[in-house]
Amino acid sequence: MIKNKYESDYMLKKLGLNRMSEKMFTENSTLDDLNSFFEENIYEYYNIRDKSTSAGKFLYMKTKEEVLEASKQYKRYAIYESLAMADDKLVLQGDIEIDNDFIMRASLSDIKGISNRVAMQKPIYNLYNYDLKEKREPLIKGLSEVIDYISKNYLIGMIVEFSLFEIPVGINKESIIIWELRNY
């Protein structure tokens, strides 16, 4: 049972799922700590996410300088590469859950240039109690690939937050990034 963001992060790593390389910081992290991260992870844009609470403050597509300034507002946070430059290659994103009876629930979007959080809050496709045993998956570009990934990685019975791209991304250089796993 995954009860919080910390446990989700642990499970993503344990299962070897594709994710963004990220580094955790706290309010006690020094400027040298942050600069060391930026020297090892050189990207045009970064994201910063509050890790102290579920659905914490999230900033998207920020420069190094903007992240340094924003980091002063957080107690516990992560910094990672922004996929903003891959946005034009987005296929599908959102959250999906397939339970043990293969009933699917999903909030999905194929709108480019928005964060996964916005995609889940304002889905283009909203599926509820969709029986995958009785019906073939809906004709939504990329959905079949996401369902296959969930099955292959034994992610049945949990909510999977993801983004699917036409290009390889993340630490495993796969087309799908898993942002979070939830049972709560």
Side-chain angles (χ1 to χ4, degrees):
M1 179 68 87
I2 301 168
K3 298 180 230 159
N4 55 44
K5 185 67 175 147
Y6 174 79
E7 290 178 8
S8 172
D9 291 345
Y10 172 79
M11 190 60 70
L12 288 172
K13 290 174 187 165
K14 180 179 176 185
L15 295 174
L17 300 176
N18 195 34
R19 64 191 193 286
M20 296 305 298
S21 178
E22 70 178 343
K23 175 113 180 183
M24 296 291 297
F25 297 95
T26 68
E27 60 190 338
N28 297 325
S29 296
T30 66
L31 186 58
D32 286 343
D33 295 334
L34 291 164
N35 281 326
S36 176
F37 169 81
F38 289 122
E39 287 171 12
E40 295 171 16
N41 300 277
I42 301 170
Y43 304 115
E44 190 170 351
Y45 296 104
Y46 300 86
N47 295 342
I48 183 169
R49 175 180 219 140
D50 185 347
K51 292 287 195 164
S52 62
T53 182
S54 172
K57 187 175 181 182
F58 172 76
L59 300 176
Y60 182 67
M61 198 172 148
K62 300 297 177 188
T63 64
K64 171 187 164 184
E65 292 74 22
E66 290 171 321
V67 169
L68 286 169
E69 184 60 34
S71 68
K72 299 171 187 173
Q73 304 169 31
Y74 295 91
K75 292 186 185 283
R76 187 171 181 259
Y77 58 98
I79 300 173
Y80 50 96
E81 175 189 10
S82 177
L83 290 175
M85 303 315 284
D87 275 344
D88 64 333
K89 301 295 185 185
L90 178 77
V91 175
L92 190 67
Q93 64 181 344
D95 68 355
I96 184 170
E97 177 181 22
I98 301 172
D99 70 18
N100 292 328
D101 295 322
F102 291 94
I103 304 298
M104 179 175 61
R105 184 215 52 82
S107 298
L108 308 169
S109 179
D110 52 11
I111 295 176
K112 296 171 179 15
I114 63 172
S115 71
N116 193 49
R117 183 179 291 175
V118 171
M120 293 182 301
Q121 292 169 344
K122 297 177 181 177
I124 300 300
Y125 310 102
N126 203 352
L127 306 171
Y128 186 73
N129 287 337
Y130 194 93
D131 192 337
L132 291 169
K133 295 183 310 292
E134 297 292 322
K135 301 185 252 183
R136 194 162 165 80
E137 69 266 5
L139 291 175
I140 299 171
K141 185 179 178 185
L143 181 58
S144 183
E145 189 174 340
V146 174
I147 291 170
D148 289 349
Y149 187 91
I150 288 169
S151 297
K152 180 181 95 177
N153 289 286
Y154 308 104
L155 304 176
I156 302 295
M158 62 184 70
I159 298 167
V160 179
E161 292 183 17
F162 73 94
S163 293
L164 178 69
F165 297 90
E166 294 173 350
I167 59 172
V169 294
I171 63 168
N172 296 345
K173 301 297 183 213
E174 297 172 349
S175 62
I176 190 168
I177 286 283
I178 304 301
W179 298 110
E180 187 172 347
L181 301 173
R182 297 187 266 123
N183 295 107
Y184 55 93

